[in-house]
């Protein structure tokens, strides 16, 4: 008798995908082709592929063998082994290398592989939408960022944005609180250029920018920034939220439901994409007419 029962779907996890990407990068840095790697370790190509894509669990001994074959340095070996031994409890924390999340492998990996991204920011323009001048002004305000490192960090953030205009970018919605439009970073010229960039990006077919205005009803969902990413089948959604020094990644079912509910609130409070473009244009004009002392005519 036929049955509709199907085997349960198998899923990779955010942690297993990050581990797999670390291993793949270690092999690439060593310049070892996959076929040669498998021959020398007597592994099947399927085993290597599943391991580097996060599909296959493995032992500490096999990971050690993998890294040894790649000639990985001590810092890489210790980082990868920590990932391999990290318990999977539905969430994990990654500490930023500096004052931003730009260099986090897990964040970059998942943003680039996402089908959809929905993000909310409160006080500043989201990093993925920032102009070069805005990013530079933010970094120069941060005492812990040395002047000689600013250029490199600006480059890293600009490089991180490239996937938004690549061949098959994710369908992305960014909710931006009006506070971020009024909070002047750098000077009036920097803010004018940033507002014009946002207005221009409103024309990208895969991108929706929506302003949460000051006139919107207050709601607890407005307190903290957050991002929710969805993927193709066999990969669960991933939510993340960023603090000054760390980013928390979440896959636990209730956490995903919470972020979905939060997005529903934001959708109800935000202006439409067309209205938001008008708001960006308005603020570009405001900053364009700021006086020589940088004073903005708010009224």
């Amino acid at each position: 008798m036929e049955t509709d029962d199907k085997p349960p779907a198998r899923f990779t996890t955010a942690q297993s995908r990050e581990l797999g990407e670390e291993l793949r990068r270690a092999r690439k840095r060593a310049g070892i082709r996959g076929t040669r790697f498998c021959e020398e370790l007597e592994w099947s190509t399927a085993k290597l592929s599943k391991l580097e894509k996060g599909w296959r669990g493995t032992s500490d001994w096999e990971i050690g063998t993998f890294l040894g074959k790649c000639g990985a340095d001590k810092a890489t070996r210790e980082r990868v082994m920590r990932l391999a031994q990290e318990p999977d409890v539905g969430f994990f924390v990654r500490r930023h290398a500096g004052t931003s999340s730009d260099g986090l492998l897990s964040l970059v990996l998942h943003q680039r592989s996402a089908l959809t991204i929905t993000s909310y920011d409160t006080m500043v323009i989201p990093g993925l939408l920032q102009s070069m001048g805005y990013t530079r002004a933010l970094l120069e305000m941060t005492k812990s960022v040395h002047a000689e490192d600013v250029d490199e960090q600006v480059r890293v953030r600009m490089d991180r944005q490239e996937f938004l205009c690549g061949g098959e970018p994710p369908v992305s919605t960014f909710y931006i609180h009006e506070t971020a439009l009024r909070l002047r970073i750098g000077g009036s010229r920097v803010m004018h250029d940033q507002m014009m960039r946002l207005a221009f990006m409103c024309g990208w077919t895969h991108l929706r920018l929506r302003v949460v205005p000051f006139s919107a009803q207050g709601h607890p969902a407005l307190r903290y920034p957050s991002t929710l990413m969805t993927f193709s089948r066999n990969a669960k959604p991933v939510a993340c939220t960023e603090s000054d020094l760390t980013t928390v990644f979440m896959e636990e079912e209730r956490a995903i439901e919470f972020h979905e509910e939060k997005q529903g609130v934001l959708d109800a409070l935000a202006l439409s994409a067309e209205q938001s473009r008008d708001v960006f244009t308005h603020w570009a004009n405001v900053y364009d007419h700021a006086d020589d002392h940088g004073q903005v005519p708010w009224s």
Side-chain angles (χ1 to χ4, degrees):
M1 183 176 64
E2 293 185 359
T3 176
D4 292 332
D5 292 341
K6 296 180 180 180
R10 295 179 58 214
F11 292 93
T12 60
T13 69
Q15 288 168 283
S16 70
R17 292 190 293 272
E18 182 181 10
L19 174 60
E21 180 64 10
E22 283 277 15
L23 294 172
R24 188 190 72 84
R25 291 189 178 196
R27 180 175 62 80
K28 290 291 186 181
R29 284 194 296 270
I32 307 176
R33 294 173 60 88
T35 51
R36 175 188 153 201
F37 193 87
C38 291
E39 289 172 357
E40 294 183 359
L41 288 183
E42 298 183 347
W43 287 6
S44 68
T45 56
K47 175 177 178 178
L48 177 64
S49 176
K50 289 180 179 179
L51 186 60
E52 292 185 348
K53 292 179 180 179
W55 279 106
R56 186 185 190 281
T58 190
S59 66
D60 290 352
W61 184 87
E62 283 191 328
I63 291 178
T65 300
F66 187 111
L67 296 174
K69 189 65 182 176
C70 296
D73 58 29
K74 181 179 179 182
T76 298
R77 294 196 305 272
E78 291 179 347
R79 182 176 67 254
V80 173
M81 293 307 297
R82 281 197 303 270
L83 289 177
Q85 296 167 3
E86 187 175 39
D88 186 356
V89 294
F91 71 91
F92 58 93
V93 180
R94 294 291 178 263
R95 183 177 178 84
H96 304 162
T99 59
S100 77
S101 60
D102 289 322
L104 288 182
L105 174 60
S106 194
L107 183 62
V108 173
L109 169 67
H110 289 98
Q111 285 179 335
R112 290 182 178 273
S113 60
L115 290 180
T116 68
I117 298 175
T118 307
S119 180
Y120 168 62
D121 269 276
T122 54
M123 299 294 289
V124 296
I125 305 301
L128 291 174
L129 308 179
Q130 289 174 9
S131 67
M132 186 178 295
Y134 188 95
T135 295
R136 181 177 298 279
L138 271 178
L139 292 171
E140 288 175 346
M141 295 166 62
T142 307
K143 292 183 178 180
S144 57
V145 178
H146 300 297
E148 60 270 21
D149 296 329
V150 169
D151 287 345
E152 174 62 16
Q153 293 200 29
V154 170
R155 184 195 64 77
V156 169
R157 184 161 300 179
M158 295 301 105
D159 287 349
R160 184 181 153 207
Q161 297 176 359
E162 288 183 355
F163 77 96
L164 284 178
C165 52
E168 295 184 8
V171 176
S172 304
T173 300
F174 290 87
Y175 295 102
I176 308 168
H177 200 280
E178 191 174 358
T179 301
L181 310 184
R182 295 196 181 204
L183 185 64
R184 194 174 64 193
I185 301 297
S188 295
R189 179 50 50 188
V190 169
M191 292 301 296
H192 169 269
D193 292 348
Q194 177 65 71
M195 295 303 107
M196 290 300 295
R197 174 175 171 80
L198 294 176
F200 172 76
M201 295 178 85
C202 287
W204 295 9
T205 56
H206 61 282
L207 199 59
R208 297 188 73 210
L209 310 186
R210 299 184 58 191
V211 174
V212 179
F214 273 124
S215 59
Q217 180 181 357
H219 194 282
L222 299 176
R223 290 182 298 173
Y224 305 116
S226 70
T227 297
L228 180 64
M229 297 172 280
T230 65
F231 308 90
S232 59
R233 62 178 185 172
N234 302 325
K236 297 178 180 179
V238 174
C240 60
T241 185
E242 183 177 333
S243 67
D244 289 335
L245 298 177
T246 61
T247 294
V248 181
F249 296 84
M250 294 159 278
E251 287 182 303
E252 192 266 332
E253 184 176 352
R254 181 65 191 99
I256 300 302
E257 290 175 355
F258 175 87
H259 284 271
E260 290 173 341
E261 293 167 2
K262 175 174 178 140
Q263 289 179 7
V265 173
L266 293 168
D267 184 68
L269 295 177
L271 301 175
S272 68
E274 294 75 17
Q275 291 171 321
S276 297
R277 184 199 289 240
D278 291 341
V279 171
F280 299 140
T281 302
H282 164 76
W283 283 108
N285 290 332
V286 168
Y287 286 113
D288 194 38
H289 290 88
D291 65 28
D292 293 338
H293 300 289
Q295 296 301 311
V296 177
W298 302 114
S299 58

